[in-house]
């Protein structure tokens, strides 16, 4: 494709715009694949928001089966296509920046030979920062889609509200997120190990000879089953994050008296039981100053009590 052109004396003239076409098509394919993933995440967030804040429709039977999924997909395509495109573009830009920086680091490592220890430490720190930035972009885009589905706001406004909610509840967010990720990772490993063990038990009945590579087959089985379990459990991960963010929105906008909570009693008990026990130190100067005791006025006749000022 890069050498396509008009033949001249047995040679093909190089097209200088072929590289630009290649980059344009590559970026378009990457953006499209990322948009498909984010469309699924936004659809999942819409289903969870509908279930959390509109449980009466589900109980009455008006929303059952595949209707919530198709309705959420329709709302996402009709009202939130721009938010999905912007979120996927931000994540794709972060991944492309990481790819080019990894390429530059690889070139610097192969072309330079001075102080390899210091260069290795700097590269390790830079890769860690890039991993954190990429994961943070993905986390904020998932949370932004939940706010987009619940409040019908733009992607930037949803990301801002999600950031404020997670920052105000950073202790509970970190505790529940770490526990959830650990549990889901163990679930993926359990699925992969059980499938690999089943394949190992079935190998003696397959009639394989001594020259057959059974270890490679078992390793391939483990890798395939782990990837399949990861693809299915990612949906559960997105649903759990959406439920937790809906709970934070519910707690921030309702008080439980005049505005009752949408969360069930079991969900509230679970969240209360898994709250962090520590309290972050306050930087307020007013709280550090000792409070002076309130003034006490002596008893006065009922006629003059109304003229006294309360301390």
């Amino acid at each position: 494709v890069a050498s396509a052109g008009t033949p001249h004396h047995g040679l093909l003239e190089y097209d200088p715009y072929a590289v630009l076409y290649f980059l344009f098509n590559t970026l378009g394919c990457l953006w499209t694949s990322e948009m498909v993933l984010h469309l699924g995440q936004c659809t999942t967030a819409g289903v969870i928001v509908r279930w959390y804040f509109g449980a009466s429709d589900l109980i009455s039977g008006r929303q059952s089966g595949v209707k919530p999924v198709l309705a959420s997909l329709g709302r996402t395509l009709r009202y939130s296509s721009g938010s999905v495109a912007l979120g996927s573009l931000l994540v794709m830009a972060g991944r492309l920046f990481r790819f080019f920086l990894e390429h530059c680091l690889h070139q610097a490592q192969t072309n330079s030979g001075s102080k390899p220890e210091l260069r290795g430490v700097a590269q390790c720190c830079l890769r860690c920062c890039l991993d954190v930035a990429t994961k943070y972009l993905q986390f904020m885009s998932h949370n932004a889609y939940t706010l987009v589905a619940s409040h019908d706001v733009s992607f930037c406004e949803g990301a801002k509200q999600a950031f404020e909610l997670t920052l105000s509840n950073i202790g509970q967010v970190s505790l529940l997120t770490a526990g959830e990720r650990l549990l889901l990772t163990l679930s993926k490993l359990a699925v992969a190990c059980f499938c690999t063990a089943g394949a190992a038990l079935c190998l003696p009945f397959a009639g394989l000879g001594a020259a057959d590579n059974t270890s490679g087959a078992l390793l391939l089985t483990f890798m395939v089953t782990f990837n399949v379990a990861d693809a299915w459990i990612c949906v559960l991960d997105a649903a759990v994050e959406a439920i937790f963010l809906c709970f934070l929105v519910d707690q921030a906008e309702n008080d439980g008296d005049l505005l009752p909570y949408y969360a069930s009693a079991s969900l509230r008990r679970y969240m209360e039981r898994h709250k962090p026990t520590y309290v972050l130190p306050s930087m307020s100067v007013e709280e550090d100053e000792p409070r002076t005791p309130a003034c006490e006025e002596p008893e006065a006749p009922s006629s003059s009590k109304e003229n006294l000022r309360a301390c």
Side-chain angles (χ1 to χ4, degrees):
V1 175
S3 62
T6 304
H8 182 69
H9 295 291
L11 300 176
L12 291 176
E13 295 181 358
Y14 176 74
D15 189 1
Y17 296 102
V19 178
L20 297 179
Y21 300 152
F22 174 74
L23 292 177
F24 178 78
N25 292 328
T26 303
L27 293 178
C29 291
L30 292 176
W31 193 5
T32 303
S33 62
E34 199 70 33
M35 277 191 65
V36 171
L37 295 176
H38 284 242
L39 179 63
Q41 295 166 3
C42 192
T43 303
T44 305
V47 173
I48 296 301
V49 167
R50 183 66 177 175
W51 166 80
Y52 190 95
F53 294 104
S56 58
D57 294 339
L58 298 177
I59 295 174
S60 60
R62 285 178 289 176
Q63 293 287 341
S64 60
V66 296
K67 286 184 179 180
V69 179
L70 296 179
S72 178
L73 179 60
R75 289 193 301 269
T76 302
L77 292 175
R78 184 176 181 181
Y79 301 109
S80 305
S81 300
S83 299
V84 173
L86 181 57
S88 58
L89 179 63
L90 291 177
V91 175
M92 188 197 68
R95 289 183 176 178
L96 287 177
F97 177 74
R98 178 183 176 182
F99 172 76
F100 285 117
L101 195 56
E102 288 279 353
H103 178 70
C104 294
L105 290 176
H106 179 71
Q107 293 295 327
Q109 185 176 4
T110 55
N111 298 333
S112 178
S114 60
K115 295 182 180 180
E117 296 84 4
L118 183 60
R119 186 177 63 250
V121 172
Q123 291 179 3
C124 181
C125 295
L126 190 57
R127 286 191 178 96
C128 290
C129 294
L130 289 175
D131 289 338
V132 171
T134 305
K135 295 294 183 182
Y136 180 75
L137 280 176
Q138 294 177 355
F139 179 75
M140 289 307 300
S141 63
H142 297 173
N143 293 343
Y145 293 145
T146 305
L147 270 298
V148 167
S150 61
H151 289 77
D152 293 332
V153 295
S154 62
F155 178 82
C156 297
E157 183 65 25
K160 175 187 174 184
Q161 295 181 11
F163 176 76
E164 292 174 353
L165 279 175
T166 53
L167 187 62
S168 59
N169 301 274
I170 188 63
Q172 195 172 9
V173 169
S174 58
L175 180 63
L176 293 178
T177 303
E180 175 216 352
R181 294 297 167 83
L182 178 61
L183 182 61
L184 294 181
T185 304
L186 292 177
S187 302
K188 299 173 191 176
L189 291 175
V191 171
C193 291
F194 275 117
C195 293
T196 307
L201 293 176
C202 294
L203 283 178
F205 304 99
L208 299 177
D212 295 324
N213 187 10
T214 57
S215 301
L218 293 178
L219 180 61
L220 181 62
T221 302
F222 180 84
M223 295 174 60
V224 170
T225 52
F226 184 84
N227 289 328
V228 172
D230 179 66
W232 283 96
I233 292 179
C234 280
V235 180
L236 179 61
D237 186 15
V240 171
E241 289 183 357
I243 291 174
F244 179 59
L245 197 62
C246 287
F247 176 79
L248 294 182
V249 172
D250 189 14
Q251 296 293 315
E253 296 182 353
N254 302 317
D255 54 2
D257 295 330
L258 298 177
L259 299 174
Y261 294 125
Y262 286 93
S264 61
S266 58
L267 179 60
R268 291 199 300 270
R269 286 196 302 268
Y270 178 83
M271 291 299 181
E272 289 292 335
R273 189 166 60 249
H274 290 82
K275 270 189 175 182
T277 56
Y278 62 89
V279 179
L280 295 176
S282 177
M283 301 301 294
S284 178
V285 181
E286 298 178 356
E287 295 182 359
D288 297 333
E289 296 179 355
R291 296 182 179 180
T292 57
C295 301
E296 296 182 358
E297 291 291 339
E299 292 290 333
S302 58
S303 60
S304 60
K305 273 187 176 181
E306 298 178 355
N307 298 328
L308 293 177
R309 290 184 178 179
C311 295

